[in-house]
Amino acid sequence: MAFKERVFSGVQPTGNLHLGNYLGAIKKFVELQDSHDCIYCVVDLHAITVWQEPAELTHNIREVTAAFLACGIDPKKHIIFNQSQVAEHAELAWIFNCIARLGWLNRMTQFKEKAGKDRENASVGLYAYPNLMAADILVYRATHVPVGDDQKQHLELARDIAQKFNNDFASSIAGHGFGDAFFPLPEPLIQGPATRVMSLRDGTKKMSKSDASDQSRINLTDDAETIALKVRRAKTDPHPLPGDEKELAERPEADNLVGIFAALKGISKGAVLNEFGGAQFSAFKAALVELAVAKLGPIGAEMKRIIDDKAYIDSILADGSARAQVMAAETMKSVKDIVGLVRR
Ligand code: AQP
């Protein structure tokens, strides 16, 4: 059966939204609006898998919403909402807790990284996070998921869950007239020159919200002066930029800055090196500052303007949640019938 193409993705409201979140995810969300029906979610239930100060969480939910709007997502044509307003996400996640295998979750590298050595003390939610992510996507029977490279493994797990559900309940699915599959196997969209933006202080570490050093990332709310300072201080190596992309493989910091430039400008890394091959970092960084300020400056300014209007943001989330819930409730009805639960 051919599923209707639908895009779903989410961003956690955990503060410090950065250039990696923008280039790896939000910029792509914006681009997909012209070709697809899109559902973009502030995944607040994911955020609380690690401790969040309640007042900060509330602010961060509104800030991610403001970022979606400031980057150009149209909340009328598409859906912007926060996860906790649509209870069906958690409901389907429970069904998936009973589908996914412990062995599958034990392989998840993000849990290992985030739980660290103190694994016994990690929340159950952090462990089961990928099952909730699968529910987020599949409760809308979404077919395409734009994410950064770090989410690839979770997407593979979502596909495994969808496949196992389809197999386990095959006879019941067919009996309900859904053909031979109820859930699509969602495809990750991980493309372009900046699917994993690295820290500005260490080209081998992912740019991350939780990095203790603010110098490691460009935040979407940074002003022009801060962006310039962070780019100028970004770690580099002593050699000029190469003319050939292959030579970036052994030079993580150069590779990262070239990738950022390419993604911001919408060109390939090769095209960047055609222009800057042989140049010193000082000249390249000056051009990168100019480009980054031109692209990110208006987004940051618009975010700051929107964030002050809480009533407006909350109305967008309420409207998006109501529309999302209609779709999610329909899926849950079918899921309950397929599983054999008695419902009203
Ligand atoms: N460095 C990155 N490069 C490219 N894409 C990235 N994403 C995150 N970091 C990068 C993508 O942004 C989307 C939203 O991410 P998230 O908020 O759900 O969570 P995250 O991946 O945990 O973000 P951080 O910044 O890495 O937070 P911490 O510090 O908590 O680990 C996703 O599509 C993600 O791939």
Side-chain angles (χ1 to χ4, degrees):
M1 183 179 113
F3 288 90
K4 183 178 170 355
E5 289 206 351
R6 181 174 287 151
V7 167
F8 176 93
S9 196
V11 173
Q12 294 188 72
T14 37
N16 298 332
L17 268 184
H18 54 70
L19 183 63
N21 300 129
Y22 176 64
L23 294 178
I26 305 174
K27 184 169 181 286
K28 295 185 179 146
F29 297 180
V30 177
E31 289 160 3
L32 284 159
Q33 292 186 106
D34 292 336
S35 53
H36 288 77
D37 290 335
C38 304
I39 304 174
Y40 295 129
C41 187
V42 185
V43 286
D44 45 13
L45 297 178
H46 281 284
I48 60 169
T49 56
V50 295
W51 171 251
Q52 304 295 326
E53 283 300 332
E56 275 175 36
L57 177 63
T58 308
H59 171 81
N60 290 337
I61 291 168
R62 295 192 176 115
E63 189 179 70
V64 174
T65 311
F68 284 173
L69 295 167
C71 289
I73 296 170
D74 182 338
K76 296 244 176 324
K77 286 202 186 119
H78 302 277
I79 292 180
I80 294 177
F81 75 110
N82 59 315
Q83 191 183 22
S84 60
Q85 291 204 46
V86 181
E88 284 79 358
H89 287 243
E91 206 178 0
L92 185 58
W94 181 260
I95 305 272
F96 287 171
N97 284 344
C98 305
I99 300 281
R101 307 288 93 182
L102 279 179
W104 300 359
L105 288 176
N106 284 341
R107 286 197 285 276
M108 295 296 112
T109 52
Q110 183 173 294
F111 175 76
K112 289 179 194 163
E113 282 162 21
K114 291 208 166 168
K117 290 201 179 77
D118 199 11
R119 199 180 287 198
E120 294 290 306
N121 207 25
S123 73
V124 174
L126 187 66
Y127 184 73
Y129 180 116
N131 294 348
L132 177 59
M133 181 164 154
D136 297 336
I137 299 161
L138 294 171
V139 84
Y140 303 103
R141 298 163 91 196
T143 53
H144 293 84
V145 188
V147 282
D149 181 65
D150 58 324
Q151 291 301 323
K152 196 171 169 199
Q153 196 184 33
H154 288 165
L155 247 300
E156 279 159 11
L157 190 102
R159 291 168 66 88
D160 289 344
I161 289 174
Q163 184 71 68
K164 184 163 167 29
F165 183 95
N166 290 342
N167 291 346
D168 287 356
F169 295 104
S171 56
S172 164
I173 287 169
H176 285 93
F178 291 114
D180 55 3
F182 180 70
F183 287 122
L185 306 190
E187 272 181 45
L189 299 175
I190 306 174
Q191 289 139 358
T195 55
R196 183 179 282 258
V197 177
M198 308 309 271
S199 157
L200 298 180
R201 310 300 298 163
D202 177 352
T204 63
K205 258 175 65 185
K206 191 178 79 123
M207 185 178 284
S208 157
K209 294 169 185 156
S210 55
D211 195 313
S213 165
D214 194 55
Q215 297 295 315
S216 70
R217 65 183 161 258
I218 294 175
N219 301 305
L220 292 187
T221 47
D222 282 345
D223 59 23
E225 208 178 310
T226 311
I227 293 174
L229 204 66
K230 287 179 176 176
V231 172
R232 271 193 232 112
R233 284 189 184 155
K235 189 176 168 199
T236 51
D237 57 44
H239 310 290
L241 282 166
D244 183 351
E245 198 180 329
K246 284 194 202 103
E247 289 175 48
L248 290 174
E250 305 296 314
R251 299 175 61 185
E253 282 83 16
D255 187 32
N256 190 36
L257 295 183
V258 169
I260 291 172
F261 192 103
L264 283 172
K265 198 152 185 197
I267 58 177
S268 66
K269 286 188 198 177
V272 177
L273 295 180
N274 280 344
E275 192 179 343
F276 290 97
Q280 298 298 327
F281 274 105
S282 51
F284 178 63
K285 281 181 169 180
L288 180 55
V289 166
E290 201 181 317
L291 179 63
V293 168
K295 297 283 180 183
L296 302 179
I299 293 174
E302 184 64 357
M303 272 176 76
K304 283 179 195 147
R305 188 187 69 76
I306 297 172
I307 196 89
D308 285 336
D309 194 346
K310 288 184 194 162
Y312 171 64
I313 293 177
D314 292 0
S315 73
I316 296 284
L317 293 174
D319 173 66
S321 300
R323 285 156 55 215
Q325 187 155 34
V326 172
M327 299 161 79
E330 207 176 302
T331 303
M332 276 317 295
K333 254 194 211 169
S334 302
V335 165
K336 285 181 179 173
D337 289 347
I338 289 166
V339 172
L341 301 169
V342 176
R343 63 177 175 83
R344 268 180 283 147

